Amino acid sequence: MPDVNDPVFGPAPTAAGADDDLVQLLTPEGERVHHPEFDLDLTPEMLRTFYRDMFLVRRLDVEATALQRHGELGLWAQLLGQEAAQIGAGHALARQDFVFPTYREHGVAWVRGVDPVALLGLFRGVDNGGWDPHEHGFNLYTIVIGAQVLHAAGYAMALQRDGVVGTGDGERDAAVLAHFGDGASSQGDVSEAFIFAGWANAPVVFFCQNNQWAISEPIEKVSRIPLYQRANGFGFPGVRVDGNDVLATYAVTQAALKRAREGQGPMLIEAYTYRMGAHTTTDDPTRYRLMEDVEHWKLKDPLARVEVHLRRNGLVDDQFFTDLAAEADALGDRMRRECHQLPDPQPLDIFDRVYAEQTEELAAQQAEVATYLSSFADHAPAGAEGGAA
Amino acid sequence: MATTTMSMAKALNAGLRRAMEHDSKVVVMGEDVGRLGGVFRITDGLQKDFGEDRVMDTPLAESGIVGTAVGMAMRGYRPVVEIQFDGFVYPAYDQIVCQVAKFHSRSQGRVPMPMVIRIPFGGGIGAVEHHSESPEAQFAHTPGLKVVACSNPADAYWMLQQAIASDDPVIFLEPKRHYHSTRAEIDDAATPGSLWASRVVRSGEDATLIAYGPTVGTCVDAAAVAAEEGRSLEVIDLRTLSPLDMGPVEESVRRTGRAVVVHEAHVNLGLGAEVAARLTESCFYSLEAPVLRVGGWDTPYPPARVEEAYLPDLDRVLDAVDRSLAF
Ligand SMILES: Cc1ncc(C[n+]2csc(CCOP(=O)(O)OP(=O)(O)O)c2C)c(N)n1
């Protein structure tokens, strides 16, 4: 190992998992702390909104997990523990900004106004993305790890060409927020996105939720330095924020997006957090993760610290929590009910939107399937509908 | 070990283990293959027994996994690479088709590329997108790669060891929906047949069903149903997709005069097209009907709730047999 003060090699790398360089504005104990660069004042209303959103998104996540357990969803990617990273980042967005999520950004989706029930479609297997990306400024979920980070860089390059970067008009200037995980940071696509964004000085904020696990693989095994430090090598700033502190994730993302909109180029945010749930509902973290770590991170819960802060400073009353619990129950009810009502795709539908211009070949295949299916109709009991062939 | 009954997942694990015991140059690389034992547990326990140098949890980077395996193979290792799901092989596509496939010929035979790339493939497990695809034609179309697909535990056990022992790069396709659905006896002391050979799974007289991987089971079931209706169908498991072993297929089709090729991949330019073309060339005068294909439609793999409409099932296979017999 090079010496810390080695004149040639410089300082020794800090471990990828070290957490002494975090931007934090609210401690796990609910104490407000200040930061020289990213401090900000928040109204009590804003704090309540953060709490409310985190609370409801946690419920959304719990509800979807339960739906998977009941066989209503094939899979669910849980966000438990990552609420602050997502709600903070989501609120930092301007209306005209655009988000490129992974498959786990349920909290950001929530802030962007995507109906939670629409999120279930992909996991239930009725569609591959059930919302309009343009309507919400929120792209469809991307499952192939890292692919969307390049799309984000390209979208940001398009914003530059459209002249909506650095004009000084806060209502017009736009930026892009690109989400990915610590595991994804190993993909070539992610490095290439950094290269393109740096080359183009594109208005994109790379937002890595370092939840420390890529399924079973811990971050310290794949990165010898904290991920945010990688930005230096690509020529733009990187910062590590306490991913369980919604104030800090909001403040840092807001600053980074503002910078990007103003034309100062990309930035990497590493939101240092922990995956409290399993990777997905098919995963079994007991095979590789230590229970002590989970217990340790429970003490850093993103909701608990805001709750303490709100109560201690008299910013809420009991009624606030009662109302919120009722709102969460209603959300849960609606998700359970509407999940069932998501219509199954029909066999003939799969041919419809493969191309913008239908091909004769595909139309012929569709007709063939229609004929084939109707050959069963003769034998089907009255009233039966075409579902599975 | 003598004869043991195993699932396909266990058979693959046992095959890997035996290959690693047999040859210390065999290394396993991939995402989550170590401590977790792979998302399908195919590599379960191997890291514990062979250590982290031989069973590597790699960074999450498919191009990186295959590209570094190239370097290791150049140095005499025999990497067995796990791609987590079929749809995630594409980041490594460039390394596989431009590098892995071409080393031997570019180096005029001086640099063999003894690598196995294991890919759980195919649908029918109700998964989200990119988890149910059949990319075999993309690789079978690439000279320099060998492509095989197992369909049952005994083949899985032997074919994997044979693929690892091969000096050529092998794309090894595992029908994920059958990992746990079938069990079979495996006799460790047996002498396996050639890896590069197709095999008659069930004999019959009226028509030949040609399949590989997940659709072999579908065709065997279809033949059983057809038998109840007095129709005798022969079922052939191709096993090796590149090179294709047409011998048993041609022999069969000369007898039955009718052939239906069944695979999950898109029909357009799929393996079925190649088989049909070859049968037309070699068995033209024996054919009583055109060679028919049953496969996935030329659409992206659809959402899980409608995948039955995409996947060839028993009815679609029997329907094709009816059409063939009606000629
Ligand atoms: C290209 C590709 N390879 C493998 C996978 C399978 N896979 C899905 S999620 C995942 C781990 C991702 O970890 P990370 O990027 O840290 O994100 P997290 O899920 O922890 O939020 C893997 C390996 C995939 N979806 N895409």
Side-chain angles (χ1 to χ4, degrees):
Chain A
M1 257 313 157
D3 188 84
V4 184
N5 301 314
D6 188 299
V8 178
F9 295 104
T14 31
D19 60 357
D20 47 8
D21 45 5
L22 294 178
V23 176
Q24 192 179 63
L25 299 182
L26 191 66
T27 68
E29 295 73 36
E31 290 298 338
R32 186 73 170 77
V33 286
H34 297 280
H35 190 276
E37 201 179 336
F38 294 103
D39 214 22
L40 84 179
D41 282 325
L42 286 169
T43 62
E45 185 53 38
M46 201 66 189
L47 289 170
R48 283 191 291 265
T49 300
F50 285 163
Y51 185 79
R52 174 180 170 272
D53 283 355
M54 290 197 292
F55 190 87
L56 293 175
V57 162
R58 180 169 287 185
R59 179 55 174 267
L60 181 169
D61 191 56
V62 167
E63 209 60 61
T65 304
L67 282 166
Q68 195 281 335
R69 298 286 179 239
H70 285 104
E72 298 294 337
L73 304 178
L75 182 82
W76 179 249
Q78 295 159 284
L79 67 47
L80 188 67
Q82 298 181 221
E83 296 88 349
Q86 298 195 10
I87 298 302
H91 277 286
L93 290 157
R95 180 194 40 78
Q96 66 275 19
D97 293 340
F98 202 94
V99 183
F100 285 86
T102 73
Y103 43 77
R104 203 190 291 282
E105 262 60 73
H106 320 312
V108 189
W110 170 267
V111 179
R112 292 307 270 183
V114 177
D115 184 343
V117 177
L119 299 177
L120 302 179
L122 173 76
F123 298 100
R124 187 170 167 83
V126 303
D127 58 45
N128 291 331
W131 58 92
D132 178 351
H134 292 297
E135 182 188 335
H136 298 279
F138 186 83
N139 196 40
L140 301 177
Y141 280 177
T142 300
I143 287 176
V144 179
I145 302 292
Q148 77 284 358
V149 189
L150 276 167
H151 309 162
Y155 195 99
M157 287 159 62
L159 292 177
Q160 292 176 309
R161 276 147 190 78
D162 286 347
V164 289
V165 182
T167 68
D169 178 352
E171 293 297 304
R172 259 186 97 211
D173 284 347
V176 179
L177 187 61
H179 290 274
F180 58 101
D182 45 293
S185 68
S186 295
Q187 288 283 2
D189 276 4
V190 172
S191 290
E192 292 181 30
F194 289 0
I195 299 272
F196 273 73
W199 161 65
N201 202 39
V204 53
V205 174
F206 299 109
F207 193 95
C208 176
Q209 279 165 85
N210 178 0
N211 65 19
Q212 304 182 55
W213 290 94
I215 308 189
S216 72
E217 304 195 351
I219 180 62
E220 10 3 306
K221 288 269 173 123
V222 287
S223 184
R224 298 187 51 181
I225 57 163
L227 292 175
Y228 77 92
Q229 290 179 4
R230 288 196 183 170
N232 293 336
F234 292 91
F236 49 84
V239 61
R240 180 181 265 190
V241 56
D242 179 346
N244 285 21
D245 172 359
V246 67
L247 273 59
T249 58
Y250 172 75
V252 171
T253 314
Q254 196 187 46
L257 285 168
K258 178 166 178 287
R259 230 182 129 261
R261 285 186 214 107
E262 287 170 0
Q264 296 181 63
M267 185 159 155
L268 171 62
I269 297 172
E270 176 190 358
Y272 192 67
T273 178
Y274 189 81
R275 189 184 81 216
M276 294 299 290
H279 169 69
T280 66
T281 44
T282 59
D283 180 35
D284 172 11
T286 62
R287 290 178 73 106
Y288 52 82
R289 198 168 70 175
L290 292 176
M291 211 42 220
E292 291 123 71
D293 285 352
V294 181
E295 291 306 318
H296 171 75
W297 278 88
K298 265 189 195 156
L299 303 174
K300 302 188 180 199
D301 185 77
L303 273 73
R305 68 178 77 178
V306 182
E307 180 179 342
V308 170
H309 181 77
L310 287 171
R311 285 191 193 272
R312 194 181 293 150
N313 293 288
L315 304 176
V316 285
D317 52 18
D318 287 342
Q319 191 61 40
F320 172 80
F321 294 103
T322 315
D323 291 349
L324 192 50
E327 200 178 347
D329 286 345
L331 174 67
D333 283 349
R334 183 166 78 81
M335 285 177 65
R336 286 194 296 279
R337 198 173 57 248
E338 294 185 10
C339 178
H340 288 285
Q341 291 164 1
L342 284 169
D344 277 355
Q346 295 303 302
L348 297 181
D349 298 346
I350 70 179
F351 300 92
D352 277 339
R353 295 200 189 90
V354 182
Y355 301 101
E357 284 173 37
Q358 181 65 313
T359 68
E360 281 181 28
E361 273 187 332
L362 212 53
Q365 284 188 9
Q366 188 175 34
E368 188 185 328
V369 174
T371 311
Y372 174 72
L373 291 177
S374 64
S375 74
F376 290 88
D378 304 342
H379 309 287
E385 288 183 4
Chain B
M1 174 177 123
T3 303
T4 323
T5 303
M6 290 182 213
S7 65
M8 184 181 295
K10 279 273 182 305
L12 289 162
N13 180 272
L16 264 174
R17 178 177 289 279
R18 214 171 87 140
M20 295 186 78
E21 282 164 355
H22 176 75
D23 182 350
S24 63
K25 294 291 186 188
V26 175
V27 293
V28 169
M29 320 172 56
E31 295 156 13
D32 303 293
V33 297
R35 241 192 301 179
L36 186 64
V39 287
F40 289 109
R41 310 286 186 266
I42 305 303
T43 55
D44 200 10
L46 296 180
Q47 189 179 65
K48 193 162 114 303
D49 296 341
F50 294 98
E52 292 189 19
D53 270 356
R54 292 191 64 195
V55 181
M56 284 170 260
D57 271 330
T58 63
L60 206 179
E62 287 74 12
S63 181
I65 296 168
V66 174
T68 54
V70 167
M72 294 199 73
M74 290 180 73
R75 188 93 199 151
Y77 286 87
R78 290 182 174 273
V80 182
V81 162
E82 177 172 298
I83 298 293
Q84 205 155 71
F85 277 89
D86 33 55
F88 308 144
V89 72
Y90 300 108
Y93 192 68
D94 163 58
Q95 284 290 340
I96 298 174
V97 304
C98 299
Q99 306 300 328
V100 172
K102 296 192 166 106
F103 255 87
H104 194 259
S105 65
R106 284 173 65 219
S107 67
Q108 307 187 27
R110 294 184 190 104
V111 183
M113 212 22 74
M115 181 188 305
V116 176
I117 300 175
R118 295 182 33 242
I119 309 178
F121 85 125
I125 62 163
V128 296
E129 57 176 345
H130 313 296
H131 288 74
S132 304
E133 312 199 346
S134 303
E136 60 269 22
Q138 326 245 11
F139 297 113
H141 192 64
T142 305
L145 297 177
K146 290 183 175 168
V147 185
V148 301
C150 58
S151 70
N152 62 75
D155 269 2
Y157 179 74
W158 290 115
M159 286 170 69
L160 184 54
Q161 292 179 63
Q162 290 169 308
I164 294 170
S166 165
D167 278 338
D168 283 311
V170 180
I171 305 288
F172 192 91
L173 300 163
E174 302 166 4
K176 66 174 90 77
R177 79 168 124 128
H178 292 315
Y179 273 145
H180 301 288
S181 68
T182 48
R183 294 170 67 78
E185 282 197 350
I186 291 166
D187 177 5
D188 200 26
T191 315
S194 165
L195 170 59
W196 317 113
S198 50
R199 189 169 65 89
V200 177
V201 182
R202 176 188 172 116
S203 26
E205 307 299 325
D206 298 335
T208 306
L209 299 179
I210 301 150
Y212 55 86
T215 53
V216 174
T218 314
C219 288
V220 169
D221 291 347
V225 172
E228 287 168 21
E229 294 164 1
R231 272 178 191 164
S232 159
L233 304 182
E234 183 143 310
V235 180
I236 297 184
D237 181 354
L238 283 178
R239 298 172 76 256
T240 170
L241 312 183
S242 180
L244 263 176
D245 174 27
M246 290 298 289
V249 182
E250 288 167 7
E251 192 280 317
S252 171
V253 173
R254 285 203 183 94
R255 259 189 304 108
T256 63
R258 296 168 206 279
V260 177
V261 198
V262 185
H263 54 58
E264 291 189 6
H266 317 294
V267 174
N268 188 30
L269 299 167
L271 256 289
E274 182 63 27
V275 172
R278 293 207 197 184
L279 285 175
T280 312
E281 287 171 8
S282 58
C283 305
F284 188 70
Y285 293 106
S286 310
L287 284 170
E288 305 283 346
V291 181
L292 298 180
R293 292 170 292 167
V294 180
W297 306 108
D298 296 321
T299 68
Y301 195 90
R305 292 239 158 190
V306 73
E307 68 182 341
E308 311 90 75
Y310 177 91
L311 291 170
D313 62 359
L314 206 126
D315 286 327
R316 273 175 62 201
V317 173
L318 292 173
D319 182 67
V321 169
D322 285 347
R323 281 188 284 130
S324 177
L325 285 161
F327 266 93

